[in-house]
């Protein structure tokens, strides 16, 4: 068990991802309502979430949790982002495709 890591993940979720996703999904729902909208708006929500929100929040998760853990932005976080960001987002896209209800 890594208490420092757990604290960083919980803090990021409570202060960054949770509120950020709440407001982004609210804006998305206002822009593209799904209530009584049929399948197209729902599919569009999934696409927007996958293509726009996933990369944004993968990056913010990497940066925020690392900063909370006390890591250096220049020496540790940026190299890690360069190394792992694209593969992590690709995995997120793949998971979204696997879980999309066809």
């Amino acid at each position: 068990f890594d208490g420092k890591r757990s604290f960083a993940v919980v803090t990021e979720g409570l202060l960054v991802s949770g509120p950020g996703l709440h407001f982004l999904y609210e804006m998305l729902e206002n822009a593209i309502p799904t209530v009584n909208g049929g399948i197209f708006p729902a599919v569009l929500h999934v696409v927007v979430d996958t293509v726009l929100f996933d990369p944004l929040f993968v990056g913010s998760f990497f940066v925020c949790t690392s900063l909370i853990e006390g890591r250096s932005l220049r020496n540790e976080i940026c190299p890690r982002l360069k190394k792992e960001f694209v593969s992590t987002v690709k995995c997120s896209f793949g998971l979204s495709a696997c879980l999309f209800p066809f």
Side-chain angles (χ1 to χ4, degrees):
F1 175 76
D2 185 347
K4 189 176 186 179
R5 179 74 176 158
S6 296
F7 176 78
V9 170
V10 168
T11 302
E12 190 279 336
L14 287 173
L15 299 178
V16 180
S17 291
L21 286 170
H22 168 77
F23 289 111
L24 283 174
Y25 285 125
E26 187 174 5
M27 287 180 5
L28 181 60
E29 183 61 29
N30 288 333
I32 308 165
T34 56
V35 177
N36 299 323
I39 190 76
F40 182 73
V43 170
L44 198 52
H45 274 226
V46 172
V47 170
V48 169
D49 176 55
T50 302
V51 174
L52 297 178
F53 295 175
D54 283 1
L56 177 67
F57 283 95
V58 165
S60 73
F61 179 81
F62 273 120
V63 172
C64 291
T65 55
S66 297
L67 287 173
I68 294 167
E69 290 176 312
R71 299 182 191 276
S72 163
L73 185 61
R74 174 180 280 169
N75 297 326
E76 296 175 89
I77 300 171
C78 288
R80 182 176 177 210
L81 275 174
K82 287 179 186 176
K83 180 180 176 189
E84 299 177 18
F85 178 77
V86 172
S87 63
T88 303
V89 170
K90 283 182 183 178
C91 286
S92 175
F93 288 170
L95 184 61
S96 292
C98 289
L99 297 177
F100 188 78
F102 286 105

PDB file of all heavy atoms in Angstrom, residues 32-70:
ATOM      1  N   ILE A  32     -25.446  19.175 -26.767  1.00  0.00           N
ATOM      2  CA  ILE A  32     -26.023  18.047 -27.507  1.00  0.00           C
ATOM      3  C   ILE A  32     -26.921  17.267 -26.540  1.00  0.00           C
ATOM      4  O   ILE A  32     -26.481  16.312 -25.910  1.00  0.00           O
ATOM      5  CB  ILE A  32     -24.929  17.108 -28.067  1.00  0.00           C
ATOM      6  CG1 ILE A  32     -23.900  17.905 -28.856  1.00  0.00           C
ATOM      7  CG2 ILE A  32     -25.540  16.010 -28.916  1.00  0.00           C
ATOM      8  CD1 ILE A  32     -22.617  17.144 -29.123  1.00  0.00           C
ATOM      9  N   PRO A  33     -28.176  17.684 -26.396  1.00  0.00           N
ATOM     10  CA  PRO A  33     -29.068  17.012 -25.443  1.00  0.00           C
ATOM     11  C   PRO A  33     -29.339  15.561 -25.837  1.00  0.00           C
ATOM     12  O   PRO A  33     -29.536  15.256 -27.017  1.00  0.00           O
ATOM     13  CB  PRO A  33     -30.357  17.827 -25.498  1.00  0.00           C
ATOM     14  CG  PRO A  33     -30.019  19.087 -26.198  1.00  0.00           C
ATOM     15  CD  PRO A  33     -28.817  18.815 -27.037  1.00  0.00           C
ATOM     16  N   THR A  34     -29.331  14.681 -24.842  1.00  0.00           N
ATOM     17  CA  THR A  34     -29.631  13.279 -25.097  1.00  0.00           C
ATOM     18  C   THR A  34     -31.052  12.909 -24.687  1.00  0.00           C
ATOM     19  O   THR A  34     -31.536  11.851 -25.072  1.00  0.00           O
ATOM     20  CB  THR A  34     -28.644  12.358 -24.351  1.00  0.00           C
ATOM     21  OG1 THR A  34     -28.674  12.672 -22.962  1.00  0.00           O
ATOM     22  CG2 THR A  34     -27.250  12.496 -24.893  1.00  0.00           C
ATOM     23  N   VAL A  35     -31.718  13.760 -23.927  1.00  0.00           N
ATOM     24  CA  VAL A  35     -33.084  13.473 -23.497  1.00  0.00           C
ATOM     25  C   VAL A  35     -33.993  13.474 -24.720  1.00  0.00           C
ATOM     26  O   VAL A  35     -34.057  14.455 -25.458  1.00  0.00           O
ATOM     27  CB  VAL A  35     -33.564  14.515 -22.457  1.00  0.00           C
ATOM     28  CG1 VAL A  35     -35.010  14.265 -22.072  1.00  0.00           C
ATOM     29  CG2 VAL A  35     -32.667  14.499 -21.243  1.00  0.00           C
ATOM     30  N   ASN A  36     -34.649  12.361 -24.949  1.00  0.00           N
ATOM     31  CA  ASN A  36     -35.546  12.188 -26.098  1.00  0.00           C
ATOM     32  C   ASN A  36     -34.846  12.433 -27.427  1.00  0.00           C
ATOM     33  O   ASN A  36     -35.482  12.815 -28.401  1.00  0.00           O
ATOM     34  CB  ASN A  36     -36.774  13.105 -25.992  1.00  0.00           C
ATOM     35  CG  ASN A  36     -37.588  12.814 -24.754  1.00  0.00           C
ATOM     36  OD1 ASN A  36     -37.723  11.662 -24.350  1.00  0.00           O
ATOM     37  ND2 ASN A  36     -38.119  13.847 -24.142  1.00  0.00           N
ATOM     38  N   GLY A  37     -33.541  12.232 -27.468  1.00  0.00           N
ATOM     39  CA  GLY A  37     -32.790  12.525 -28.676  1.00  0.00           C
ATOM     40  C   GLY A  37     -32.466  11.322 -29.535  1.00  0.00           C
ATOM     41  O   GLY A  37     -31.895  11.461 -30.602  1.00  0.00           O
ATOM     42  N   GLY A  38     -32.779  10.146 -29.070  1.00  0.00           N
ATOM     43  CA  GLY A  38     -32.476   8.957 -29.843  1.00  0.00           C
ATOM     44  C   GLY A  38     -31.029   8.513 -29.663  1.00  0.00           C
ATOM     45  O   GLY A  38     -30.319   8.952 -28.756  1.00  0.00           O
ATOM     46  N   ILE A  39     -30.589   7.664 -30.571  1.00  0.00           N
ATOM     47  CA  ILE A  39     -29.260   7.055 -30.460  1.00  0.00           C
ATOM     48  C   ILE A  39     -28.138   7.997 -30.895  1.00  0.00           C
ATOM     49  O   ILE A  39     -27.041   7.948 -30.352  1.00  0.00           O
ATOM     50  CB  ILE A  39     -29.203   5.729 -31.258  1.00  0.00           C
ATOM     51  CG1 ILE A  39     -27.920   4.957 -30.968  1.00  0.00           C
ATOM     52  CG2 ILE A  39     -29.334   5.976 -32.737  1.00  0.00           C
ATOM     53  CD1 ILE A  39     -27.918   4.258 -29.657  1.00  0.00           C
ATOM     54  N   PHE A  40     -28.393   8.865 -31.864  1.00  0.00           N
ATOM     55  CA  PHE A  40     -27.321   9.713 -32.396  1.00  0.00           C
ATOM     56  C   PHE A  40     -26.675  10.613 -31.344  1.00  0.00           C
ATOM     57  O   PHE A  40     -25.452  10.647 -31.244  1.00  0.00           O
ATOM     58  CB  PHE A  40     -27.815  10.536 -33.587  1.00  0.00           C
ATOM     59  CG  PHE A  40     -26.742  11.385 -34.190  1.00  0.00           C
ATOM     60  CD1 PHE A  40     -25.718  10.815 -34.943  1.00  0.00           C
ATOM     61  CD2 PHE A  40     -26.717  12.754 -33.967  1.00  0.00           C
ATOM     62  CE1 PHE A  40     -24.697  11.596 -35.487  1.00  0.00           C
ATOM     63  CE2 PHE A  40     -25.710  13.548 -34.493  1.00  0.00           C
ATOM     64  CZ  PHE A  40     -24.695  12.967 -35.253  1.00  0.00           C
ATOM     65  N   PRO A  41     -27.430  11.341 -30.546  1.00  0.00           N
ATOM     66  CA  PRO A  41     -26.786  12.168 -29.522  1.00  0.00           C
ATOM     67  C   PRO A  41     -25.999  11.346 -28.504  1.00  0.00           C
ATOM     68  O   PRO A  41     -24.934  11.769 -28.055  1.00  0.00           O
ATOM     69  CB  PRO A  41     -27.946  12.896 -28.839  1.00  0.00           C
ATOM     70  CG  PRO A  41     -29.056  12.867 -29.822  1.00  0.00           C
ATOM     71  CD  PRO A  41     -28.872  11.593 -30.588  1.00  0.00           C
ATOM     72  N   ALA A  42     -26.501  10.171 -28.174  1.00  0.00           N
ATOM     73  CA  ALA A  42     -25.789   9.320 -27.219  1.00  0.00           C
ATOM     74  C   ALA A  42     -24.459   8.852 -27.797  1.00  0.00           C
ATOM     75  O   ALA A  42     -23.431   8.873 -27.108  1.00  0.00           O
ATOM     76  CB  ALA A  42     -26.656   8.121 -26.836  1.00  0.00           C
ATOM     77  N   VAL A  43     -24.465   8.446 -29.053  1.00  0.00           N
ATOM     78  CA  VAL A  43     -23.227   8.029 -29.717  1.00  0.00           C
ATOM     79  C   VAL A  43     -22.267   9.209 -29.820  1.00  0.00           C
ATOM     80  O   VAL A  43     -21.062   9.072 -29.583  1.00  0.00           O
ATOM     81  CB  VAL A  43     -23.523   7.424 -31.115  1.00  0.00           C
ATOM     82  CG1 VAL A  43     -22.240   7.211 -31.903  1.00  0.00           C
ATOM     83  CG2 VAL A  43     -24.298   6.133 -30.983  1.00  0.00           C
ATOM     84  N   LEU A  44     -22.783  10.370 -30.130  1.00  0.00           N
ATOM     85  CA  LEU A  44     -21.953  11.571 -30.216  1.00  0.00           C
ATOM     86  C   LEU A  44     -21.319  11.902 -28.865  1.00  0.00           C
ATOM     87  O   LEU A  44     -20.149  12.284 -28.799  1.00  0.00           O
ATOM     88  CB  LEU A  44     -22.777  12.744 -30.735  1.00  0.00           C
ATOM     89  CG  LEU A  44     -22.018  13.934 -31.291  1.00  0.00           C
ATOM     90  CD1 LEU A  44     -20.993  13.509 -32.338  1.00  0.00           C
ATOM     91  CD2 LEU A  44     -22.984  14.938 -31.888  1.00  0.00           C
ATOM     92  N   HIS A  45     -22.045  11.706 -27.785  1.00  0.00           N
ATOM     93  CA  HIS A  45     -21.484  11.909 -26.443  1.00  0.00           C
ATOM     94  C   HIS A  45     -20.313  10.960 -26.198  1.00  0.00           C
ATOM     95  O   HIS A  45     -19.283  11.379 -25.654  1.00  0.00           O
ATOM     96  CB  HIS A  45     -22.560  11.683 -25.376  1.00  0.00           C
ATOM     97  CG  HIS A  45     -23.373  12.887 -25.074  1.00  0.00           C
ATOM     98  ND1 HIS A  45     -23.656  13.278 -23.786  1.00  0.00           N
ATOM     99  CD2 HIS A  45     -23.981  13.794 -25.872  1.00  0.00           C
ATOM    100  CE1 HIS A  45     -24.399  14.374 -23.811  1.00  0.00           C
ATOM    101  NE2 HIS A  45     -24.614  14.694 -25.082  1.00  0.00           N
ATOM    102  N   VAL A  46     -20.481   9.715 -26.579  1.00  0.00           N
ATOM    103  CA  VAL A  46     -19.405   8.729 -26.393  1.00  0.00           C
ATOM    104  C   VAL A  46     -18.184   9.124 -27.217  1.00  0.00           C
ATOM    105  O   VAL A  46     -17.049   9.061 -26.734  1.00  0.00           O
ATOM    106  CB  VAL A  46     -19.884   7.299 -26.763  1.00  0.00           C
ATOM    107  CG1 VAL A  46     -18.724   6.325 -26.757  1.00  0.00           C
ATOM    108  CG2 VAL A  46     -20.973   6.843 -25.805  1.00  0.00           C
ATOM    109  N   VAL A  47     -18.392   9.549 -28.442  1.00  0.00           N
ATOM    110  CA  VAL A  47     -17.282   9.954 -29.312  1.00  0.00           C
ATOM    111  C   VAL A  47     -16.565  11.170 -28.737  1.00  0.00           C
ATOM    112  O   VAL A  47     -15.327  11.198 -28.658  1.00  0.00           O
ATOM    113  CB  VAL A  47     -17.775  10.216 -30.754  1.00  0.00           C
ATOM    114  CG1 VAL A  47     -16.689  10.874 -31.598  1.00  0.00           C
ATOM    115  CG2 VAL A  47     -18.247   8.918 -31.392  1.00  0.00           C
ATOM    116  N   VAL A  48     -17.306  12.176 -28.318  1.00  0.00           N
ATOM    117  CA  VAL A  48     -16.693  13.380 -27.744  1.00  0.00           C
ATOM    118  C   VAL A  48     -15.933  13.029 -26.479  1.00  0.00           C
ATOM    119  O   VAL A  48     -14.805  13.484 -26.271  1.00  0.00           O
ATOM    120  CB  VAL A  48     -17.760  14.470 -27.470  1.00  0.00           C
ATOM    121  CG1 VAL A  48     -17.190  15.597 -26.629  1.00  0.00           C
ATOM    122  CG2 VAL A  48     -18.316  15.004 -28.781  1.00  0.00           C
ATOM    123  N   ASP A  49     -16.536  12.201 -25.637  1.00  0.00           N
ATOM    124  CA  ASP A  49     -15.869  11.780 -24.408  1.00  0.00           C
ATOM    125  C   ASP A  49     -14.558  11.070 -24.716  1.00  0.00           C
ATOM    126  O   ASP A  49     -13.519  11.373 -24.131  1.00  0.00           O
ATOM    127  CB  ASP A  49     -16.782  10.862 -23.597  1.00  0.00           C
ATOM    128  CG  ASP A  49     -16.102  10.314 -22.369  1.00  0.00           C
ATOM    129  OD1 ASP A  49     -15.590  11.109 -21.557  1.00  0.00           O
ATOM    130  OD2 ASP A  49     -16.059   9.078 -22.214  1.00  0.00           O
ATOM    131  N   THR A  50     -14.594  10.150 -25.651  1.00  0.00           N
ATOM    132  CA  THR A  50     -13.409   9.367 -25.978  1.00  0.00           C
ATOM    133  C   THR A  50     -12.331  10.205 -26.648  1.00  0.00           C
ATOM    134  O   THR A  50     -11.165  10.150 -26.260  1.00  0.00           O
ATOM    135  CB  THR A  50     -13.800   8.185 -26.893  1.00  0.00           C
ATOM    136  OG1 THR A  50     -14.773   7.385 -26.217  1.00  0.00           O
ATOM    137  CG2 THR A  50     -12.604   7.330 -27.231  1.00  0.00           C
ATOM    138  N   VAL A  51     -12.710  10.990 -27.627  1.00  0.00           N
ATOM    139  CA  VAL A  51     -11.725  11.716 -28.426  1.00  0.00           C
ATOM    140  C   VAL A  51     -11.214  12.987 -27.741  1.00  0.00           C
ATOM    141  O   VAL A  51     -10.026  13.305 -27.831  1.00  0.00           O
ATOM    142  CB  VAL A  51     -12.311  12.055 -29.822  1.00  0.00           C
ATOM    143  CG1 VAL A  51     -11.382  12.924 -30.626  1.00  0.00           C
ATOM    144  CG2 VAL A  51     -12.620  10.764 -30.576  1.00  0.00           C
ATOM    145  N   LEU A  52     -12.069  13.697 -27.032  1.00  0.00           N
ATOM    146  CA  LEU A  52     -11.661  14.964 -26.421  1.00  0.00           C
ATOM    147  C   LEU A  52     -11.374  14.859 -24.922  1.00  0.00           C
ATOM    148  O   LEU A  52     -10.350  15.343 -24.451  1.00  0.00           O
ATOM    149  CB  LEU A  52     -12.740  16.034 -26.651  1.00  0.00           C
ATOM    150  CG  LEU A  52     -13.021  16.418 -28.087  1.00  0.00           C
ATOM    151  CD1 LEU A  52     -14.132  17.448 -28.159  1.00  0.00           C
ATOM    152  CD2 LEU A  52     -11.769  16.952 -28.767  1.00  0.00           C
ATOM    153  N   PHE A  53     -12.295  14.244 -24.183  1.00  0.00           N
ATOM    154  CA  PHE A  53     -12.153  14.229 -22.732  1.00  0.00           C
ATOM    155  C   PHE A  53     -11.064  13.270 -22.260  1.00  0.00           C
ATOM    156  O   PHE A  53     -10.330  13.578 -21.323  1.00  0.00           O
ATOM    157  CB  PHE A  53     -13.468  13.868 -22.052  1.00  0.00           C
ATOM    158  CG  PHE A  53     -14.584  14.863 -22.238  1.00  0.00           C
ATOM    159  CD1 PHE A  53     -15.849  14.598 -21.763  1.00  0.00           C
ATOM    160  CD2 PHE A  53     -14.387  16.080 -22.884  1.00  0.00           C
ATOM    161  CE1 PHE A  53     -16.889  15.502 -21.913  1.00  0.00           C
ATOM    162  CE2 PHE A  53     -15.417  16.987 -23.054  1.00  0.00           C
ATOM    163  CZ  PHE A  53     -16.676  16.694 -22.567  1.00  0.00           C
ATOM    164  N   ASP A  54     -10.972  12.084 -22.865  1.00  0.00           N
ATOM    165  CA  ASP A  54      -9.973  11.105 -22.415  1.00  0.00           C
ATOM    166  C   ASP A  54      -8.547  11.664 -22.447  1.00  0.00           C
ATOM    167  O   ASP A  54      -7.852  11.597 -21.432  1.00  0.00           O
ATOM    168  CB  ASP A  54     -10.055   9.810 -23.227  1.00  0.00           C
ATOM    169  CG  ASP A  54     -11.212   8.923 -22.809  1.00  0.00           C
ATOM    170  OD1 ASP A  54     -11.981   9.317 -21.902  1.00  0.00           O
ATOM    171  OD2 ASP A  54     -11.362   7.832 -23.385  1.00  0.00           O
ATOM    172  N   PRO A  55      -8.090  12.213 -23.579  1.00  0.00           N
ATOM    173  CA  PRO A  55      -6.720  12.737 -23.577  1.00  0.00           C
ATOM    174  C   PRO A  55      -6.513  13.862 -22.560  1.00  0.00           C
ATOM    175  O   PRO A  55      -5.477  13.926 -21.896  1.00  0.00           O
ATOM    176  CB  PRO A  55      -6.520  13.254 -25.005  1.00  0.00           C
ATOM    177  CG  PRO A  55      -7.519  12.536 -25.823  1.00  0.00           C
ATOM    178  CD  PRO A  55      -8.683  12.271 -24.918  1.00  0.00           C
ATOM    179  N   LEU A  56      -7.504  14.720 -22.427  1.00  0.00           N
ATOM    180  CA  LEU A  56      -7.402  15.830 -21.481  1.00  0.00           C
ATOM    181  C   LEU A  56      -7.227  15.319 -20.055  1.00  0.00           C
ATOM    182  O   LEU A  56      -6.341  15.767 -19.319  1.00  0.00           O
ATOM    183  CB  LEU A  56      -8.659  16.704 -21.588  1.00  0.00           C
ATOM    184  CG  LEU A  56      -8.767  17.867 -20.620  1.00  0.00           C
ATOM    185  CD1 LEU A  56      -7.702  18.911 -20.932  1.00  0.00           C
ATOM    186  CD2 LEU A  56     -10.154  18.474 -20.700  1.00  0.00           C
ATOM    187  N   PHE A  57      -8.033  14.356 -19.678  1.00  0.00           N
ATOM    188  CA  PHE A  57      -7.981  13.887 -18.301  1.00  0.00           C
ATOM    189  C   PHE A  57      -6.885  12.864 -18.046  1.00  0.00           C
ATOM    190  O   PHE A  57      -6.427  12.730 -16.917  1.00  0.00           O
ATOM    191  CB  PHE A  57      -9.360  13.414 -17.841  1.00  0.00           C
ATOM    192  CG  PHE A  57     -10.229  14.591 -17.521  1.00  0.00           C
ATOM    193  CD1 PHE A  57     -11.093  15.105 -18.455  1.00  0.00           C
ATOM    194  CD2 PHE A  57     -10.123  15.230 -16.299  1.00  0.00           C
ATOM    195  CE1 PHE A  57     -11.857  16.220 -18.177  1.00  0.00           C
ATOM    196  CE2 PHE A  57     -10.881  16.349 -16.003  1.00  0.00           C
ATOM    197  CZ  PHE A  57     -11.749  16.845 -16.944  1.00  0.00           C
ATOM    198  N   VAL A  58      -6.423  12.177 -19.050  1.00  0.00           N
ATOM    199  CA  VAL A  58      -5.228  11.333 -18.877  1.00  0.00           C
ATOM    200  C   VAL A  58      -4.037  12.231 -18.568  1.00  0.00           C
ATOM    201  O   VAL A  58      -3.267  11.984 -17.635  1.00  0.00           O
ATOM    202  CB  VAL A  58      -4.956  10.456 -20.126  1.00  0.00           C
ATOM    203  CG1 VAL A  58      -3.559   9.866 -20.095  1.00  0.00           C
ATOM    204  CG2 VAL A  58      -5.994   9.347 -20.231  1.00  0.00           C
ATOM    205  N   GLY A  59      -3.887  13.303 -19.342  1.00  0.00           N
ATOM    206  CA  GLY A  59      -2.790  14.241 -19.106  1.00  0.00           C
ATOM    207  C   GLY A  59      -2.884  14.911 -17.752  1.00  0.00           C
ATOM    208  O   GLY A  59      -1.896  15.013 -17.016  1.00  0.00           O
ATOM    209  N   SER A  60      -4.080  15.367 -17.397  1.00  0.00           N
ATOM    210  CA  SER A  60      -4.225  16.043 -16.101  1.00  0.00           C
ATOM    211  C   SER A  60      -3.990  15.079 -14.956  1.00  0.00           C
ATOM    212  O   SER A  60      -3.420  15.454 -13.928  1.00  0.00           O
ATOM    213  CB  SER A  60      -5.597  16.712 -15.985  1.00  0.00           C
ATOM    214  OG  SER A  60      -6.622  15.774 -15.813  1.00  0.00           O
ATOM    215  N   PHE A  61      -4.382  13.818 -15.128  1.00  0.00           N
ATOM    216  CA  PHE A  61      -4.148  12.822 -14.084  1.00  0.00           C
ATOM    217  C   PHE A  61      -2.645  12.607 -13.875  1.00  0.00           C
ATOM    218  O   PHE A  61      -2.158  12.620 -12.751  1.00  0.00           O
ATOM    219  CB  PHE A  61      -4.821  11.498 -14.438  1.00  0.00           C
ATOM    220  CG  PHE A  61      -4.601  10.429 -13.401  1.00  0.00           C
ATOM    221  CD1 PHE A  61      -5.381  10.401 -12.257  1.00  0.00           C
ATOM    222  CD2 PHE A  61      -3.609   9.474 -13.565  1.00  0.00           C
ATOM    223  CE1 PHE A  61      -5.172   9.423 -11.291  1.00  0.00           C
ATOM    224  CE2 PHE A  61      -3.390   8.509 -12.605  1.00  0.00           C
ATOM    225  CZ  PHE A  61      -4.181   8.477 -11.465  1.00  0.00           C
ATOM    226  N   PHE A  62      -1.921  12.415 -14.979  1.00  0.00           N
ATOM    227  CA  PHE A  62      -0.464  12.234 -14.877  1.00  0.00           C
ATOM    228  C   PHE A  62       0.186  13.418 -14.170  1.00  0.00           C
ATOM    229  O   PHE A  62       0.972  13.249 -13.246  1.00  0.00           O
ATOM    230  CB  PHE A  62       0.173  12.101 -16.265  1.00  0.00           C
ATOM    231  CG  PHE A  62       0.192  10.704 -16.818  1.00  0.00           C
ATOM    232  CD1 PHE A  62      -0.456  10.412 -18.009  1.00  0.00           C
ATOM    233  CD2 PHE A  62       0.878   9.698 -16.180  1.00  0.00           C
ATOM    234  CE1 PHE A  62      -0.429   9.137 -18.539  1.00  0.00           C
ATOM    235  CE2 PHE A  62       0.919   8.413 -16.705  1.00  0.00           C
ATOM    236  CZ  PHE A  62       0.256   8.131 -17.878  1.00  0.00           C
ATOM    237  N   VAL A  63      -0.142  14.619 -14.611  1.00  0.00           N
ATOM    238  CA  VAL A  63       0.508  15.821 -14.079  1.00  0.00           C
ATOM    239  C   VAL A  63       0.100  16.065 -12.624  1.00  0.00           C
ATOM    240  O   VAL A  63       0.956  16.260 -11.756  1.00  0.00           O
ATOM    241  CB  VAL A  63       0.195  17.051 -14.958  1.00  0.00           C
ATOM    242  CG1 VAL A  63       0.693  18.325 -14.303  1.00  0.00           C
ATOM    243  CG2 VAL A  63       0.821  16.879 -16.342  1.00  0.00           C
ATOM    244  N   CYS A  64      -1.185  16.072 -12.352  1.00  0.00           N
ATOM    245  CA  CYS A  64      -1.653  16.411 -10.998  1.00  0.00           C
ATOM    246  C   CYS A  64      -1.195  15.405  -9.949  1.00  0.00           C
ATOM    247  O   CYS A  64      -0.713  15.803  -8.889  1.00  0.00           O
ATOM    248  CB  CYS A  64      -3.169  16.537 -10.981  1.00  0.00           C
ATOM    249  SG  CYS A  64      -3.773  17.961 -11.887  1.00  0.00           S
ATOM    250  N   THR A  65      -1.361  14.114 -10.225  1.00  0.00           N
ATOM    251  CA  THR A  65      -0.949  13.132  -9.220  1.00  0.00           C
ATOM    252  C   THR A  65       0.552  13.196  -8.993  1.00  0.00           C
ATOM    253  O   THR A  65       1.010  13.091  -7.851  1.00  0.00           O
ATOM    254  CB  THR A  65      -1.362  11.697  -9.603  1.00  0.00           C
ATOM    255  OG1 THR A  65      -0.856  11.376 -10.892  1.00  0.00           O
ATOM    256  CG2 THR A  65      -2.864  11.521  -9.563  1.00  0.00           C
ATOM    257  N   SER A  66       1.315  13.396 -10.039  1.00  0.00           N
ATOM    258  CA  SER A  66       2.772  13.480  -9.888  1.00  0.00           C
ATOM    259  C   SER A  66       3.179  14.716  -9.097  1.00  0.00           C
ATOM    260  O   SER A  66       4.083  14.645  -8.252  1.00  0.00           O
ATOM    261  CB  SER A  66       3.451  13.477 -11.258  1.00  0.00           C
ATOM    262  OG  SER A  66       3.198  12.265 -11.935  1.00  0.00           O
ATOM    263  N   LEU A  67       2.530  15.855  -9.355  1.00  0.00           N
ATOM    264  CA  LEU A  67       2.844  17.061  -8.592  1.00  0.00           C
ATOM    265  C   LEU A  67       2.491  16.890  -7.119  1.00  0.00           C
ATOM    266  O   LEU A  67       3.249  17.297  -6.237  1.00  0.00           O
ATOM    267  CB  LEU A  67       2.108  18.273  -9.177  1.00  0.00           C
ATOM    268  CG  LEU A  67       2.639  18.816 -10.496  1.00  0.00           C
ATOM    269  CD1 LEU A  67       1.710  19.896 -11.030  1.00  0.00           C
ATOM    270  CD2 LEU A  67       4.055  19.344 -10.341  1.00  0.00           C
ATOM    271  N   ILE A  68       1.342  16.289  -6.846  1.00  0.00           N
ATOM    272  CA  ILE A  68       0.934  16.061  -5.458  1.00  0.00           C
ATOM    273  C   ILE A  68       1.919  15.126  -4.755  1.00  0.00           C
ATOM    274  O   ILE A  68       2.200  15.290  -3.570  1.00  0.00           O
ATOM    275  CB  ILE A  68      -0.512  15.511  -5.396  1.00  0.00           C
ATOM    276  CG1 ILE A  68      -1.489  16.571  -5.895  1.00  0.00           C
ATOM    277  CG2 ILE A  68      -0.877  15.078  -3.977  1.00  0.00           C
ATOM    278  CD1 ILE A  68      -2.884  16.051  -6.176  1.00  0.00           C
ATOM    279  N   GLU A  69       2.470  14.180  -5.498  1.00  0.00           N
ATOM    280  CA  GLU A  69       3.464  13.263  -4.934  1.00  0.00           C
ATOM    281  C   GLU A  69       4.825  13.928  -4.741  1.00  0.00           C
ATOM    282  O   GLU A  69       5.726  13.336  -4.173  1.00  0.00           O
ATOM    283  CB  GLU A  69       3.642  12.035  -5.832  1.00  0.00           C
ATOM    284  CG  GLU A  69       2.454  11.113  -5.825  1.00  0.00           C
ATOM    285  CD  GLU A  69       2.615   9.956  -6.784  1.00  0.00           C
ATOM    286  OE1 GLU A  69       2.988  10.192  -7.952  1.00  0.00           O
ATOM    287  OE2 GLU A  69       2.369   8.820  -6.363  1.00  0.00           O
ATOM    288  N   GLY A  70       4.967  15.159  -5.245  1.00  0.00           N
ATOM    289  CA  GLY A  70       6.211  15.887  -5.063  1.00  0.00           C
ATOM    290  C   GLY A  70       7.237  15.670  -6.160  1.00  0.00           C
ATOM    291  O   GLY A  70       8.413  15.973  -5.991  1.00  0.00           O
TER     292      GLY A  70
END
